[in-house]
Amino acid sequence: MAYDAGGYGGRDYGGGYDDSYDDRPEFRDGFRDLQPPEPGFDSANYVPDVVKTFVVYMYRHIREKNVYEIHQMYEGSFQKLSERLFKQSNWPAVEMIAPYVDNDHVFCLLYKEMWFRHLYARLQPTIEQRCDSWDNYCNLFQVILHGNVNMQLPNQWLWDMVDEFIYQFQSFCQYRAKLKQKTDHELAFLRQIDEVWNVVGVLNYLQALIEKSMILQILDDEKDGNLTFTATDGYDYQGGTNVLKVLGYFSIVGLLRVHCLLGDYQSGLHALLPIDINQPGVFNTVIGCQITTIYYYGFANLMLRRYLDAIKSFNQVLLYIFKTKQYHQRSSQYDQILKKNEQMYALLAISLSLCPHPKLVDENVNNQLREKYAEKMLRMQHSDEAMFDELFSYACPKFITPAPPNYDEPLVNFNQDAYRLQLKLFLSEVRQQQLLSSIRSFLKLYTTISIAKLASFMDVDEPTLRVALLTYKHKTHVINNDGSVLSNADVDFYVDDDMVHIADTKTTKRFGDYFIRHISKFDEIINDLDRVQLE
Amino acid sequence: MPGAQVPITIEQLVALNPYNPDILPDLENYVEEQVVTQTYSLDANLCLLRLYQFQPARLDVRIVARMLVKALMALPATDFNLCMFLIPERLQMEEPFLTLATLAHFLETAHFREFWDEANRNRDILEVVPGFEQAIQGYAIHVLSITYQRLPRSILAEAINVEGLSLDKFLEYQVNNNGWTLEKGGQLVVLPANEDNHPVLRKSSADSIPLEHVARLFPVLG
């Protein structure tokens, strides 16, 4: 059964959320072993029959490059078995299932990848397990980088690998930063493992995947219209492998994310440049990837004061989620999707409060936004710093401190340091823009007004007003990479000596679009009517 | 030839091998070079700040301070803020970072008089970087240019910290080279027209419709 990549428009939104799991071949023997194990039961050394069947089938599908089946098993069966058998426990250790898959080295690495991901999702990893997972990723990436794998894996899985890799890195940094609750054993262990989840190591693996896959060259070639990679969603229909190329592609998004977690927004956006987020691309094939990409892209632009870019991208993805979230309800990722959705509404609220541009927001998205944040946005527009604090803290990424601590100094918890710095700098930017809101509302009321009069209305002296007008101009102008200056102001003005002249900002009604839409609609209705046959 | 080729090599290093702590000394030297040759590279400096993040013990306060001064000179670009995102909070509470942050704040909020006063009190930090004064004056003029069509001479004087005869000479230069004019016997400065101080010049795309949208109608209309 060939995997149907589908055209871009008629895309299957992730597929595999199939009710017929009980009919799947790996479950044909029924769920005999499905009583949850007794507490204290050594699940690591007992392999239920249904798990044996699972790995055997999975192994076969991978060998036969049956991507559709792999995806069904990975996304569906694995979740189902986890839910029924391993709700609060680990899957059997890899040594126990290895005999059933010819001790295949690569399969075991893949199995362990899933094994650790399950552990992180359901339980708390020990420090030894964190190290083992790091080792597993290193081994897995090494094998892939040295070109020894001839597999096709579903994009979902390849994305999850990159996503989880960074998530576990983030988790480790957070874990390491909470020194006060550490046992002596843990501290002794930590001292010795500087290379484990080392930030330089993580970045270099992502970089290596990008370089070895030549993905930058591939994407560059596509700009000339040669859409070989994107047209097949990254899959290789000539009997080759998609793994390295697609991992390289997803690593681009990975770099964006890691840089943002470190507070380096410029480098993050720079890393993402090869991917044009306004065009369909492989990042659209996995909803988790699309959301992650836009979330970090939008956030980085927000921190760079590029509010228009942030607003447009949030609007785009929030609309997409609004239209398609019903298809993902049974996905294991559903909670994550919802969470990011809420966070992006918060970020959109912040962006719009700093840079009002209601026309950029789709109607559906705007309704949701009003529902959730109407009152808070009003407060933010009146420079309520506490409100900015609240929304930023809710929606921002989990920033990390990448360097290991000095274990000889008194033990403190520093896991909040990175977040506190970003928050502080963000709030000081908000504070600098304090007067902008009232300038905006006054300017909307006039076509010309003298500096003296405006100053008295705003209850400030003239020099203060002049300075505020300059600030308004500075903050609403964005400098592009090529040095050009772009204004994102909705209300614009200029000053002539001591008179302020406001540019005509009457909202021009867009009649053109309205008529076009309705002409097409009526035409459709007429055609339908013509087809009706009266009895 | 070491001198002329090093910038190219550094930029290549940053582009190809940025996550390598071994290049840290090269990047530090490059900051010094930027100061001396009055050049600037945001990417290289961010790369260095990143490496400092990974190995905080190697952070050199003097070099970071120079980087921040260079970043101020890049205004109106947001380079200074970008650097601050990467510098640990407790370091930012110490000098010279506190002063530099204050200076940045004044510039970001167009408080030019306060800026020049504070800059005067901290010449030691700023004088090590040649071209600082001119760069900030350039920024001030940029902000004035996107705001004012005509501005009182006193406001210009305060913004660029130049008065009296020096200001006369400065204005003469601008009139001769950059399209400025003077009115009211030199009391009013007329800045060249651009999209921002003449908003009517900005192209309005409010009601223009792309051809492909109209093209959809041709089957219906035809």
Side-chain angles (χ1 to χ4, degrees):
Chain A
M1 218 194 298
Y3 184 72
D4 178 36
Y8 181 67
R11 174 173 303 283
D12 173 4
Y13 293 114
Y17 309 134
D18 207 339
D19 253 341
S20 57
Y21 278 124
D22 287 353
D23 300 336
R24 286 198 56 79
E26 60 266 24
F27 298 145
R28 62 158 192 254
D29 293 332
F31 287 103
R32 271 179 318 196
D33 297 35
L34 275 193
Q35 310 313 311
E38 317 287 304
F41 191 75
D42 186 8
S43 62
N45 286 323
Y46 169 67
V47 184
D49 283 348
V50 71
V51 172
K52 277 184 217 157
T53 330
F54 174 84
V55 296
V56 165
Y57 271 95
M58 179 74 117
Y59 178 53
R60 179 197 302 178
H61 291 316
I62 291 181
R63 271 193 351 262
E64 294 173 357
K65 290 189 177 174
N66 198 331
V67 173
Y68 177 76
E69 291 294 329
I70 301 174
H71 188 224
Q72 295 288 77
M73 295 195 68
Y74 171 80
E75 185 65 34
S77 317
F78 184 80
Q79 298 306 329
K80 192 154 191 172
L81 287 176
S82 297
E83 192 57 35
R84 298 232 196 160
L85 280 181
F86 305 113
K87 207 160 177 154
Q88 289 295 319
S89 59
N90 285 316
W91 276 63
V94 69
E95 298 82 31
M96 304 308 298
I97 58 104
Y100 304 109
V101 294
D102 302 335
N103 288 293
D104 185 277
H105 177 56
V106 176
F107 185 86
C108 289
L109 293 176
L110 291 172
Y111 177 84
K112 280 209 284 193
E113 201 264 327
M114 292 163 61
W115 191 96
F116 281 111
R117 191 149 11 102
H118 173 84
L119 163 69
Y120 269 80
R122 307 268 180 163
L123 305 163
Q124 265 295 89
T126 65
I127 185 167
E128 287 89 350
Q129 284 168 332
R130 291 179 187 270
C131 293
D132 287 341
S133 182
W134 164 254
D135 283 338
N136 192 54
Y137 273 117
C138 290
N139 291 332
L140 184 56
F141 289 148
Q142 294 284 4
V143 163
I144 293 171
L145 285 167
H146 288 114
N148 290 332
V149 297
N150 189 14
M151 307 183 291
Q152 286 247 71
L153 294 179
N155 286 350
Q156 176 77 54
W157 193 346
L158 294 170
W159 164 252
D160 284 345
M161 270 189 220
V162 174
D163 193 43
E164 182 73 14
F165 179 60
I166 298 173
Y167 168 73
Q168 291 189 12
F169 163 60
Q170 193 179 330
S171 167
F172 183 79
C173 290
Q174 298 279 345
Y175 163 81
R176 181 174 58 189
K178 294 186 199 149
L179 290 175
K180 279 208 245 175
Q181 295 96 337
K182 294 276 179 289
T183 65
D184 288 336
H185 160 74
E186 283 170 314
L187 286 171
F189 209 102
L190 277 173
R191 273 173 193 267
Q192 293 168 3
I193 52 166
D194 268 353
E195 358 65 63
V196 171
W197 293 116
N198 183 303
V199 61
V200 171
V202 170
L203 285 167
N204 276 318
Y205 269 118
L206 294 173
Q207 183 78 354
L209 286 167
I210 292 175
E211 273 166 24
K212 205 76 202 299
S213 62
M214 313 267 287
I215 187 67
L216 298 181
Q217 189 59 47
I218 295 175
L219 290 173
D220 205 32
D221 287 342
E222 290 206 339
K223 289 203 177 107
D224 301 328
N226 194 14
L227 294 173
T228 44
F229 179 72
T230 305
T232 61
D233 286 348
Y235 290 104
D236 186 314
Y237 291 120
Q238 272 101 43
T241 166
N242 72 335
V243 172
L244 181 58
K245 268 187 296 197
V246 175
L247 277 181
Y249 181 89
F250 288 142
S251 296
I252 295 176
V253 180
L255 278 184
L256 164 68
R257 180 172 167 193
V258 175
H259 281 299
C260 287
L261 292 175
L262 298 172
D264 190 354
Y265 308 108
Q266 174 85 353
S267 304
L269 289 177
H270 187 81
L272 188 67
L273 278 177
I275 297 181
D276 183 354
I277 58 164
N278 294 314
Q279 296 295 325
V282 175
F283 75 100
N284 295 118
T285 60
V286 179
I287 188 168
C289 180
Q290 186 172 0
I291 291 178
T292 301
T293 307
I294 302 298
Y295 170 80
Y296 284 98
Y297 174 82
F299 187 84
N301 276 298
L302 173 64
M303 296 305 269
L304 259 56
R305 285 208 316 254
R306 303 180 67 96
Y307 301 122
L308 288 186
D309 288 330
I311 292 170
K312 283 186 219 165
S313 56
F314 287 139
N315 177 63
Q316 176 195 347
V317 83
L318 286 171
L319 183 60
Y320 178 79
I321 297 176
F322 178 79
K323 288 188 183 160
T324 63
K325 67 172 183 249
Q326 64 211 115
Y327 300 108
H328 296 278
Q329 259 167 5
R330 274 181 265 124
S331 159
S332 55
Q333 322 242 326
Y334 192 57
D335 287 335
Q336 256 302 302
I337 295 174
L338 288 182
K339 172 93 196 264
K340 277 281 173 296
N341 189 50
E342 292 305 306
Q343 286 178 313
M344 286 193 284
Y345 272 109
L347 293 176
L348 182 59
I350 293 177
S351 308
L352 285 170
S353 302
L354 291 171
C355 179
H357 263 274
K359 282 196 275 188
L360 289 178
V361 183
D362 176 271
E363 208 180 305
N364 293 307
V365 174
N366 200 32
N367 290 339
Q368 294 280 307
L369 187 65
R370 298 266 138 237
E371 221 176 274
K372 299 175 207 280
Y373 289 115
E375 198 201 302
K376 301 199 178 187
M377 280 177 72
L378 205 58
R379 307 250 294 265
M380 287 194 285
Q381 274 152 19
H382 288 97
S383 305
D384 181 345
E385 207 176 288
M387 201 46 48
F388 279 108
D389 188 326
E390 184 187 308
L391 287 176
F392 183 90
S393 302
Y394 169 68
C396 69
K398 279 206 161 68
F399 301 105
I400 53 174
T401 306
N406 185 342
Y407 298 105
D408 295 322
E409 281 178 7
L411 301 177
V412 290
N413 284 353
F414 62 92
N415 55 312
Q416 296 277 331
D417 284 7
Y419 148 73
R420 270 207 305 264
L421 173 62
Q422 302 301 315
L423 174 67
K424 176 171 154 187
L425 292 172
F426 175 72
L427 289 179
S428 87
E429 176 68 44
V430 165
R431 226 170 289 134
Q432 286 177 352
Q433 299 194 22
Q434 226 170 353
L435 285 175
L436 268 53
S437 223
S438 32
I439 291 180
R440 214 175 260 129
S441 30
F442 276 110
L443 290 184
K444 280 198 181 142
L445 301 172
Y446 296 94
T447 44
T448 52
I449 182 171
S450 70
I451 295 266
K453 218 193 226 177
L454 184 54
S456 77
F457 284 161
M458 289 180 61
D459 209 14
V460 296
D461 62 22
E462 277 187 42
T464 307
L465 176 62
R466 284 188 187 270
V467 160
L469 290 174
L470 288 174
T471 311
Y472 180 94
K473 280 285 192 173
H474 168 62
K475 293 292 190 188
T476 57
H477 282 67
V478 161
I479 313 295
N480 292 321
N481 283 330
D482 56 5
S484 58
V485 180
L486 201 66
S487 164
N488 65 26
D490 54 338
V491 181
D492 214 350
F493 66 89
Y494 65 89
V495 183
D496 188 14
D497 194 5
D498 59 352
M499 288 297 286
V500 183
H501 297 256
I502 292 93
D504 189 9
T505 53
K506 211 165 35 162
T507 47
T508 45
K509 275 188 157 292
R510 297 183 67 116
F511 295 115
D513 278 351
Y514 180 81
F515 281 133
I516 290 179
R517 232 184 14 250
H518 280 76
I519 290 174
S520 305
K521 223 195 232 169
F522 285 141
D523 189 51
E524 237 177 82
I525 294 176
I526 291 173
N527 286 335
D528 285 342
L529 283 175
D530 278 341
R531 280 199 284 267
V532 167
Q533 308 219 333
L534 293 173
E535 297 290 308
Chain B
M1 261 286 345
Q5 279 175 358
V6 166
I8 306 171
T9 317
I10 292 281
E11 298 292 347
Q12 281 174 339
L13 267 183
V14 167
L16 299 172
N17 198 5
Y19 314 122
N20 179 0
D22 291 339
I23 71 174
L24 196 147
D26 296 303
L27 293 172
E28 286 179 328
N29 291 337
Y30 192 44
V31 175
E32 291 294 342
E33 176 163 334
Q34 291 172 53
V35 168
V36 163
T37 60
Q38 298 203 41
T39 50
Y40 177 61
S41 169
L42 175 66
D43 284 336
N45 294 349
L46 286 179
C47 191
L48 178 56
L49 282 176
R50 204 166 44 226
L51 292 177
Y52 280 155
Q53 239 191 353
F54 302 164
Q55 300 181 311
R58 294 174 79 174
L59 191 147
D60 185 326
V61 170
R62 234 177 21 116
I63 294 193
V64 177
R66 299 224 168 145
M67 238 195 276
L68 287 175
V69 174
K70 284 300 247 179
L72 277 181
M73 290 161 66
L75 277 164
T78 52
D79 296 8
F80 187 87
N81 295 346
L82 296 181
C83 293
M84 292 297 259
F85 286 133
L86 299 174
I87 298 173
E89 193 180 347
R90 82 197 116 66
L91 201 58
Q92 293 189 23
M93 313 264 56
E94 296 168 8
E95 291 296 351
F97 301 108
L98 271 180
T99 302
L100 288 169
T102 309
L103 291 172
H105 174 83
F106 286 145
L107 288 176
E108 283 280 339
T109 52
H111 281 88
F112 291 114
R113 185 172 47 84
E114 290 85 342
F115 167 78
W116 290 113
D117 287 342
E118 184 71 19
N120 243 339
R121 284 194 284 268
N122 289 283
R123 293 180 153 270
D124 50 333
I125 307 178
L126 304 169
E127 261 166 4
V128 282
V129 183
F132 180 74
E133 207 173 312
Q134 294 91 310
I136 302 300
Q137 287 170 331
Y139 165 63
I141 292 174
H142 158 83
V143 181
L144 292 171
S145 301
I146 59 178
T147 312
Y148 285 94
Q149 280 189 4
R150 297 186 302 171
L151 81 150
R153 180 192 160 107
S154 53
I155 301 217
L156 174 65
E158 188 181 86
I160 60 173
N161 198 37
V162 177
E163 248 304 351
L165 285 176
S166 315
L167 182 57
D168 290 329
K169 262 188 25 198
F170 177 84
L171 286 170
E172 198 185 313
Y173 178 83
Q174 295 291 352
V175 166
N176 291 335
N177 293 293
N178 288 334
W180 292 27
T181 55
L182 300 172
E183 289 178 10
K184 286 203 198 155
Q187 287 311 307
L188 207 55
V189 177
V190 184
L191 295 166
N194 56 54
E195 267 189 14
D196 297 295
N197 65 6
H198 278 74
V200 64
L201 289 181
R202 185 168 288 123
K203 293 193 228 113
S204 168
S205 60
D207 210 10
S208 57
I209 306 171
L211 178 62
E212 55 242 24
H213 291 184
V214 179
R216 278 194 233 136
L217 292 183
F218 290 161
V220 181
L221 301 174

